[in-house]
């Protein structure tokens, strides 16, 4: 079946809605804390969220790698592998989450020290971060389920899980912060509870799909799930994606550190604007995720025309969406900033940086879409090298622009997107070769995808 624009929209809109709710929850957290007028608490939650993102999303390959592998298995017609993949990834994700919870007391203080948290924000940052780790097993296990659902094109079920998680998160924040006055700790508790709700709803979604697959019983056997060859394939694909994710998280962690270096007010203002950036990035990820699934299926079927069509149609929608967000931020960004924060210095600094914020969707869109394309193709090494290139380039730009204050911070961020997109573009010829009929399925799954030759 030839991919159409209607099919892209049908598949993308649940992801867009679900993804848009992710930064909206962060925006709700910032609003609830911000409207107390406590800039130190807001900065503490911002830095605590940076720690959690750095640690949790280091294992984001549990979502990204599973999406590409599942889509490729679907394109190749391998039902047994489709079923076994979710069990394999769930087991790994939950195990890693438990390990993170156990070692979290050893991680929090060193990471907060590296971020140079202002003294008045240290206590709220530590309490928020400690409580968030109680959701680690559920969060990482849900990454696997979410990636599997997207890989199968089951975006409406993925949306249902996301809605359940976000509704619980916001309700808990309102109760624990606005009513019980628990501050940053209340935000941490609410988000951890929401992680467990997401895992429960995700398992229900998986069960509803497996009931329709007669091969589910055979694929759920321990021998199948723990197949040495299958596990080797999963880790070979995901190791490079993990390095890629760590590099990008390090970049954004340094961005928070750069804001903290300038003081509490720039840090809080940048955090508010990054919520807007997050909204645009997560919404446009709807098309990037669609590209992941469609590219994966095309490669699994070894169809170059399907690959090109998936790339072209998702790029059209991504560019249009980026332009719309840039205009919205320019026109309405100041109103949103004034609503979120009541602190005049934070409002003034955020208003001054609004133009940079509006440029991010247009400048960042190519790298976001290319990420989706390469993830769907499971080209881990290309993703890794592009992220490292972006990180090194960003750090160099940041050091050169330090004299420019917060303007330099945002200029370095914009430059990092350009570095990443350019590096990924260099890997395009190798990606196209994956649709060659002369390449065996096992070859590009085990080596081409995992090592990015």
């Amino acid at each position: 079946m030839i991919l159409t624009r209607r099919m892209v929209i049908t598949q993308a809109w649940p992801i867009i809605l679900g993804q848009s709710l992710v930064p909206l929850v962060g925006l709700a957290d910032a609003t609830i804390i911000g409207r107390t007028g406590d800039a130190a608490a807001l900065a503490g939650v911002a830095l605590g969220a940076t720690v959690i993102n750095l640690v949790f999303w280091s294992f984001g390959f549990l979502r990204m790698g599973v999406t590409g592998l599942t889509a490729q298995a679907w394109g190749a017609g391998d039902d047994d592998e489709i079923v076994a993949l979710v069990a394999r990834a769930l087991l790994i994700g939950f195990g890693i989450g438990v390990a993170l919870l156990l070692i979290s007391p050893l991680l929090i203080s060193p990471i907060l020290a590296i971020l140079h948290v202002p003294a008045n924000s240290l206590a709220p940052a530590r309490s928020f971060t400690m409580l968030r780790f109680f959701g680690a097993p559920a969060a990482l296990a849900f990454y696997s389920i979410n990636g599997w659902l997207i890989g199968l094109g089951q975006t409406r079920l993925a949306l249902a899980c996301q809605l359940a998680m976000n509704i619980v998160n916001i309700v808990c924040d309102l109760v624990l912060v606005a009513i019980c006055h628990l501050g940053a700790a209340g935000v941490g508790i609410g988000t951890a509870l929401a992680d467990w709700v997401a895992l429960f709803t995700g398992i229900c979604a998986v069960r509803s799909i497996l009931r329709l697959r007669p091969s589910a019983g055979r694929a759920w056997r321990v021998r199948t799930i723990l197949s040495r060859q299958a596990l080797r394939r999963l880790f070979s694909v995901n190791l490079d994606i993990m390095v890629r994710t760590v590099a990008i998280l390090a970049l954004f962690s340094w961005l928070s550190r750069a804001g903290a270096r300038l003081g509490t007010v720039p840090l809080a203002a940048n955090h508010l604007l990054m919520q807007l950036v997050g909204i645009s990035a997560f919404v446009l990820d709807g098309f990037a995720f669609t590209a992941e699934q469609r590219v994966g299926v095309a490669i699994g079927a070894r169809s170059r025309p399907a690959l090109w069509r998936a790339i072209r149609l998702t790029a059209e929608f991504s560019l249009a969406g980026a332009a719309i967000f840039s205009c919205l931020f320019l026109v309405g960004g100041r109103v949103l900033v004034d609503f979120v924060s009541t602190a005049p210095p934070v409002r003034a600094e955020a208003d001054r940086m609004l133009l940079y914020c509006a440029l991010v969707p247009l400048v960042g869109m190519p790298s976001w879409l290319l990420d989706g394309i390469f993830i769907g193709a499971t080209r881990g090494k290309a993703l890794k090298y592009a992220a490292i290139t972006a990180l090194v380039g960003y750090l160099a730009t940041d050091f050169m622009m330090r004299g420019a204050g917060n303007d330099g911070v945002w200029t370095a961020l914009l430059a990092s997107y350009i570095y990443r997109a350019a590096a990924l573009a260099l890997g395009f010829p190798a990606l196209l070769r994956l649709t060659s009929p002369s390449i065996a399925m096992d070859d590009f799954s085990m080596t081409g995808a995992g090592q990015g030759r």
Side-chain angles (χ1 to χ4, degrees):
M1 181 181 294
I2 298 176
L3 183 64
T4 65
R5 291 178 179 84
R6 181 184 294 274
M7 292 168 65
V8 171
I9 287 293
T10 299
Q11 186 172 342
W13 78 257
I15 304 175
I16 291 172
L17 182 55
Q19 288 293 103
S20 66
L21 293 176
V22 175
L24 284 176
V25 170
L27 187 60
D29 292 345
T31 301
I32 292 169
I33 294 292
R35 292 195 68 82
T36 66
D38 189 346
L42 177 59
V45 169
L47 289 168
T50 298
V51 173
I52 292 300
N53 288 335
L54 176 63
V55 176
F56 283 22
W57 270 107
S58 296
F59 304 95
F61 64 82
L62 293 166
R63 203 286 301 165
M64 292 175 281
V66 170
T67 296
L69 290 172
T70 302
Q72 289 178 17
W74 185 17
D78 191 347
D79 280 351
D80 285 357
E81 181 61 12
I82 288 173
V83 176
L85 262 170
V86 68
R88 205 173 291 132
L90 264 174
L91 182 65
I92 295 171
F94 193 86
I96 294 174
V98 170
L100 286 179
L101 176 59
L102 293 176
I103 66 172
S104 60
L106 303 177
L107 297 175
I108 296 172
S109 294
I111 297 177
L112 290 176
I114 292 172
L115 293 176
H116 290 279
V117 180
N120 58 347
S121 298
L122 185 59
R126 181 176 285 116
S127 62
F128 169 83
T129 307
M130 289 178 61
L131 291 164
R132 279 288 282 110
F133 269 100
F134 282 95
L140 269 61
F142 179 67
Y143 288 171
S144 303
I145 293 176
N146 196 35
W148 188 76
L149 292 173
I150 293 171
L152 291 177
Q154 296 286 346
T155 54
R156 296 190 184 189
L157 285 176
L159 170 62
C161 297
Q162 191 73 54
L163 282 172
M165 178 174 69
N166 292 335
I167 290 171
V168 170
N169 196 339
I170 292 174
V171 170
C172 287
D173 283 356
L174 287 171
V175 172
L176 297 174
V177 178
I179 298 176
C180 298
H181 305 291
L182 293 181
V187 176
I189 294 171
T191 309
L193 289 173
D195 287 333
W196 286 99
V197 169
L199 177 59
F200 174 76
T201 55
I203 291 173
C204 291
V206 171
R207 284 172 57 87
S208 70
I209 293 174
L210 295 186
R211 287 195 191 102
L212 304 177
R213 292 184 177 271
S215 63
R218 181 173 66 252
W220 275 101
R221 292 174 182 171
V222 174
R223 181 179 298 178
T224 304
I225 295 170
L226 299 182
S227 163
R228 185 173 300 177
Q229 181 179 0
L231 287 171
R232 192 186 310 121
R233 178 190 179 198
L234 181 63
F235 280 108
S236 69
V237 167
N238 287 326
L239 181 60
D240 285 331
I241 295 179
M242 181 178 182
V243 175
R244 165 258 181 207
T245 304
V246 170
I248 291 176
L249 290 172
L251 189 156
F252 281 99
S253 297
W254 190 272
L255 177 67
S256 294
R257 185 184 185 277
R261 184 180 68 234
L262 298 175
T264 300
V265 169
L267 173 62
N270 289 351
H271 179 63
L272 294 184
L273 293 179
M274 286 304 295
Q275 302 309 308
L276 299 183
V277 170
I279 292 171
S280 65
F282 277 105
V283 169
L284 294 179
D285 269 351
F287 300 113
F289 284 13
T290 301
E292 288 180 28
Q293 197 268 340
R294 292 293 176 174
V295 166
V297 171
I299 288 176
R302 301 180 216 169
S303 172
R304 185 167 296 187
L307 175 63
W308 272 116
R309 188 161 182 83
I311 292 171
R312 182 171 65 83
L313 293 186
T314 52
E316 288 177 6
F317 284 109
S318 295
L319 179 59
I324 291 172
F325 271 111
S326 292
C327 292
L328 287 176
F329 291 167
L330 282 175
V331 174
R334 181 168 299 177
V335 174
L336 186 57
V337 166
D338 290 348
F339 173 76
V340 171
S341 177
T342 58
V346 174
R347 285 180 169 180
E349 181 64 13
D351 287 347
R352 195 173 71 83
M353 295 293 108
L354 197 56
L355 177 60
Y356 293 103
C357 177
L359 288 173
V360 171
L362 282 174
V363 176
M365 182 278 294
S367 64
W368 301 337
L369 180 62
L370 285 168
D371 252 17
I373 292 168
F374 278 77
I375 287 168
T378 55
R379 300 297 291 177
K381 195 168 285 294
L383 289 161
K384 177 181 70 175
Y385 288 144
I388 293 174
T389 299
L391 174 61
V392 172
Y394 165 77
L395 291 175
T397 306
D398 179 68
F399 280 117
M400 288 188 294
M401 298 292 295
R402 279 199 173 182
N406 212 11
D407 295 272
V409 171
W410 281 89
T411 299
L413 174 64
L414 291 170
S416 72
Y417 290 121
I418 297 173
Y419 302 146
R420 181 150 55 115
L424 285 172
L426 294 176
F428 228 87
L431 184 148
L432 291 177
R433 287 196 293 271
L434 292 180
T435 55
S436 171
S438 63
I439 297 179
M441 186 70 183
D442 288 343
D443 289 342
F444 79 73
S445 295
M446 289 291 293
T447 57
Q451 298 177 13
R453 292 183 303 181

